[in-house]
Amino acid sequence: METPLTANIQPGRRPPDIKAYRQAGGYRALREAVLKMRPEEVTQAVKDANLKGRGGAGFDAGLKWSFVPMGEKAAGPKYVAVNADEMEPGAFKDRLLMEGDPHQLIEGTALESYAIQADVAYIFLRREYHLAARLLQQAIAEAYDSGCLGQGILGSDYSLDIHLHISGGRYMSGEETGMLNAIEGRRANPRAKPPYPQVSGLWGNPTVVNNVETVCNLPHIVNNGAAWFRSLSLTAEGGTKIYGASGRVRRPGTWELPMGTPLRELVEEHAGGMQEGYRLRGIIPGGASTEFLTPAQLDVKMDFASVEAAGSRLGTGTIIVLDDRSCPVGMTLNLEQFFLRESCGWCTPCWGGLQYAVELLAGIEAGAGRMEDLDTLDSLAAMLAPGHTFCALAPGAAEPLGSALRYFREDFERHIREQRCPWSS
Amino acid sequence: MLSKEEMQEIEVEAARYETRQAAAIDAMRIVQDRRGWVSDEAVRDLAGFLDMSPAELDGVASFYNQIFRRQVGRHVIQVCDSVSCWLMGYEPLRERLIRMLGAGMGETTADGRFTLLPVVCLGACDRAPVMLVDEDLHTNIDPDQLDTILDKYR
Ligand SMILES: Cc1cc2nc3c(=O)[nH]c(=O)nc-3n(C[C@H](O)[C@H](O)[C@H](O)COP(=O)(O)O)c2cc1C
Ligand code: SF4
């Protein structure tokens, strides 16, 4: 089984410097692209590869780039922004890629930039990733020193600057247009779409935003071709995927596996099943903003289309496992408290709705709930759902809330009947 | 007043963007790295330096949780309070910390040694529960080891 994304990653060891990275075949794809390929050919290769964005929404990467105005008459400058904010609770895959092989991300960023003919790329990194910041700074400096970045990259006439932007915090900074505002030195409120960033992004110029893992795939697609990339996957969506598991499993961790690996294999094989004395109650498949799946749904294939068909979303592909000794109401409360704290306050259904939902959930958890609170929570979940708010934070909050109310109804009702949390001693 | 070094560092960042304002968050980080926090006076000085109004810069500052607008202790402890850590023992960890330090969430110890803050998922969920002390990530924390962990932060 091929594992291109993690081939250079050895946990606990320093990542390869530029020399080691080049010895392992690094920057070959960039050289090939800037010297021998037209930008449109790079985009076409990525389209053919069927690379779905790994930031959570699964949007086709090549298709996204194809909206950027190209050619002599396209107004510049153009920008790439790499989303390295990774603040979704339960997500821990981009950290691995940045700490494990920073040059892979730099090369991928340069390839994406070449494809849309960007002048500048920003890597938008959350503040708390201090080690990743140091490693990326160093990798960027090495790349400049060896001609992989800067004026006339690798002897071509293409020039590119990559800057590391260290975020000021807040989950909203990872939302595509919130991030644009953050880079411009503003509050990370989202922007109205359209216009889409590919046409009018940073300072009104064409900008493409992609997730770290999405970008890390690019050198491999250029080196080995779209057909090879598609063959890595078990389904129609190309490539491998960095999956992960947290919670009371025997071996929490991350694994690079074929896209579409069944959830059961993740839980039972790679994560080693549940810890002694714990039973599986539910799974959040891809970070806090995805719906619970039940143990009856373990056979779902973990790609974007299949998890969506099962009623949830692949999201980040890092699963959160709920065990029978943790309270589902408490877990839902924790998730909604996160969304409330991170709401930017722009839209009333989001900010006000979450405030109300958290109050009710906290009441139920504390033993002061009433049965009609459950109806109110149902309608709040519907109000937070897509269509009522400016950005996807509120719909993200609705996913665990609505699904918890459905799958763990019995547990909610028991809290109310007994006027206490059955899990607290 | 901004020091010469601070101004130089901020200029390096400002050159990377189309506008000076874009360096606002970097500028506040640069000041915070040196002074521990961003005072009202620093906001006024930085606003002038970046061609912004102080109110506008303060509006930016107050959005971001990693920009400290109040004085913090010599060391900042940020405890992950998100879902994976919650499942793996965040609550007992938080309670022990509060008891040990005699300071609640958002507070600083009487001796000014530690400030305790909650933080969103630190992206190390397979090693939960976790916390950040200054720039060091501590993972798989057993509350009984807290003494040893914190001992090296004087
Ligand atoms: C509130 C919110 C937070 C987000 N945070 C992140 C993040 O930290 N990292 C990320 O890659 N995408 C995040 N996204 C998704 C981005 O908006 C965007 O879809 C993604 O970066 C696009 O990259 P991709 O097409 O490569 O997946 C977030 C979305 C929302 C609504
Ligand atoms: S949905 Fe929430 S986070 Fe998004 S813009 Fe509205 S208030 Fe802000």
Side-chain angles (χ1 to χ4, degrees):
Chain A
M1 193 177 66
E2 286 183 88
T3 54
L5 292 174
T6 53
N8 291 336
I9 300 183
Q10 290 169 307
R13 294 266 296 277
R14 283 187 62 81
D17 62 7
I18 194 159
K19 201 163 145 253
Y21 181 74
R22 286 186 118 163
Q23 266 161 10
Y27 290 110
R28 222 177 51 208
L30 182 60
R31 181 186 301 276
E32 173 79 13
V34 295
L35 294 177
K36 299 199 190 127
M37 292 171 82
R38 284 183 298 112
E40 291 81 358
E41 287 176 311
V42 178
T43 302
Q44 191 59 47
V46 173
K47 268 193 188 165
D48 293 343
N50 201 10
L51 170 64
K52 303 292 185 205
R54 308 293 200 240
F59 194 82
D60 190 276
L63 183 64
K64 186 188 270 190
W65 305 356
S66 67
F67 298 121
V68 175
M70 296 295 290
E72 293 295 307
K73 281 189 285 229
K78 292 192 253 186
Y79 295 98
V80 161
V82 176
N83 198 337
D85 202 42
E86 192 158 73
M87 288 185 76
E88 174 95 356
F92 53 103
K93 63 187 184 67
D94 298 338
R95 176 197 279 278
L96 172 83
L97 292 169
M98 292 187 285
E99 292 182 355
D101 198 4
H103 278 291
Q104 177 174 250
L105 179 62
I106 308 295
E107 185 179 10
T109 304
L111 281 168
E112 171 162 351
S113 302
Y114 179 72
I116 70 149
Q117 291 288 292
D119 302 87
V120 179
Y122 298 102
I123 297 178
F124 189 96
L125 182 69
R126 68 177 294 188
R127 174 83 64 97
E128 296 88 339
Y129 279 11
H130 297 287
L131 176 60
R134 286 193 289 276
L135 295 170
L136 285 168
Q137 289 287 22
Q138 195 181 339
I140 291 172
E142 288 175 349
Y144 272 102
D145 285 346
S146 57
C148 298
L149 290 176
Q151 290 294 317
I153 286 179
L154 296 169
S156 71
D157 54 11
Y158 176 62
S159 300
L160 173 72
D161 284 313
I162 296 186
H163 302 304
L164 184 67
H165 174 100
I166 311 259
S167 170
R170 287 298 284 281
Y171 180 53
M172 273 305 296
S173 300
E175 195 277 339
E176 188 167 52
T177 61
M179 167 170 304
L180 301 178
N181 280 332
I183 295 175
E184 291 184 12
R186 305 171 196 280
R187 294 167 75 89
N189 295 118
R191 297 178 179 177
K193 293 192 270 195
Y196 287 89
Q198 296 95 307
V199 177
S200 176
L202 285 171
W203 301 286
N205 299 305
T207 306
V208 174
V209 178
N210 275 118
N211 168 260
V212 166
E213 187 184 350
T214 312
V215 174
C216 286
N217 279 295
L218 302 174
H220 309 292
I221 293 175
V222 171
N223 272 331
N224 304 309
W228 167 86
F229 190 75
R230 284 202 313 273
S231 77
L232 295 175
S233 162
L234 301 177
T235 65
E237 296 169 15
T240 58
K241 175 80 192 80
I242 310 277
Y243 295 105
S246 66
R248 298 275 173 196
V249 290
R250 278 210 180 82
R251 287 191 302 273
T254 46
W255 311 279
E256 181 179 9
L257 297 168
M259 178 62 97
T261 297
L263 181 56
R264 182 183 301 283
E265 184 182 323
L266 291 184
V267 176
E268 293 177 359
E269 216 169 290
H270 303 286
M274 299 300 287
Q275 283 179 15
E276 195 64 39
Y278 292 88
R279 288 189 26 222
L280 177 65
R281 285 288 323 265
I283 288 171
I284 292 192
S289 62
T290 61
E291 294 211 1
F292 278 96
L293 295 173
T294 68
Q297 291 172 296
L298 278 177
D299 291 315
V300 61
K301 290 194 178 76
M302 289 284 280
D303 74 358
F304 289 98
S306 313
V307 182
E308 191 167 328
S312 183
R313 295 190 305 122
L314 178 64
T316 59
T318 44
I319 70 173
I320 309 165
V321 175
L322 169 64
D323 60 84
D324 63 338
R325 288 163 66 178
S326 300
C327 171
V329 177
M331 179 168 173
T332 309
L333 171 62
N334 175 278
L335 288 162
E336 299 307 314
Q337 278 169 329
F338 156 77
F339 288 109
L340 170 60
R341 184 172 73 196
E342 299 304 320
S343 165
C344 80
W346 198 258
C347 337
T348 310
C350 173
W351 179 79
L354 283 168
Q355 179 101 1
Y356 195 12
V358 164
E359 246 169 63
L360 293 176
L361 289 167
I364 296 170
E365 181 66 357
R370 298 161 309 165
M371 282 299 169
E372 55 270 32
D373 293 345
L374 297 182
D375 302 328
T376 314
L377 283 168
D378 283 334
S379 52
L380 287 171
M383 187 174 88
L384 292 163
H388 306 141
T389 59
F390 212 68
C391 89
L393 183 139
E399 296 206 16
L401 179 60
S403 54
L405 286 163
R406 253 192 336 274
Y407 297 136
F408 306 116
R409 196 76 173 190
E410 204 18 65
D411 300 300
F412 280 87
E413 289 174 356
R414 199 169 146 211
H415 277 74
I416 297 169
R417 271 198 315 274
E418 298 180 12
Q419 291 288 291
R420 68 182 190 103
C421 172
W423 277 266
S424 71
S425 39
Chain B
M1 268 239 311
L2 298 174
S3 71
K4 205 168 131 226
E5 293 76 29
E6 284 169 340
M7 288 193 278
Q8 278 168 352
E9 270 192 62
I10 295 168
E11 287 298 356
V12 170
E13 294 293 344
R16 298 178 161 165
Y17 306 103
E18 276 192 26
T19 64
R20 281 184 81 74
Q21 159 159 7
I25 292 157
D26 304 283
M28 290 188 281
R29 171 175 47 82
I30 287 163
V31 163
Q32 184 168 303
D33 280 350
R34 284 162 192 273
R35 309 181 191 184
W37 64 302
V38 183
S39 66
D40 289 346
E41 189 204 331
V43 167
R44 272 197 306 278
D45 293 342
L46 285 170
F49 193 64
L50 296 170
D51 306 327
M52 294 171 72
S53 80
E56 196 179 2
L57 184 61
D58 196 25
V60 175
S62 63
F63 189 90
Y64 296 98
N65 64 304
Q66 293 295 334
I67 296 173
F68 302 149
R69 287 287 281 110
R70 272 197 285 162
Q71 195 149 14
V72 292
R74 289 195 297 288
H75 305 285
V76 177
I77 304 176
Q78 303 193 60
V79 193
C80 170
D81 66 359
S82 293
V83 61
S84 303
C85 282
W86 181 85
L87 284 165
M88 300 302 286
Y90 154 73
E91 281 174 350
L93 173 60
R94 176 192 59 194
E95 293 320 308
R96 185 73 76 88
L97 272 168
I98 291 175
R99 212 158 5 105
M100 270 179 65
L101 300 175
M105 281 291 169
E107 293 175 4
T108 300
T109 53
D111 59 2
R113 187 170 157 210
F114 290 113
T115 294
L116 185 59
L117 296 172
V119 74
V120 169
C121 180
L122 288 169
C125 316
D126 52 342
R127 293 170 282 167
V130 304
M131 67 182 188
L132 201 60
V133 184
D134 301 336
E135 299 196 354
D136 309 327
L137 181 70
H138 297 273
T139 60
N140 289 314
I141 302 169
D142 170 357
D144 289 338
Q145 299 165 351
L146 276 173
D147 269 325
T148 330
I149 295 173
L150 295 184
D151 206 46
K152 69 178 242 223
Y153 302 94
R154 285 281 130 200

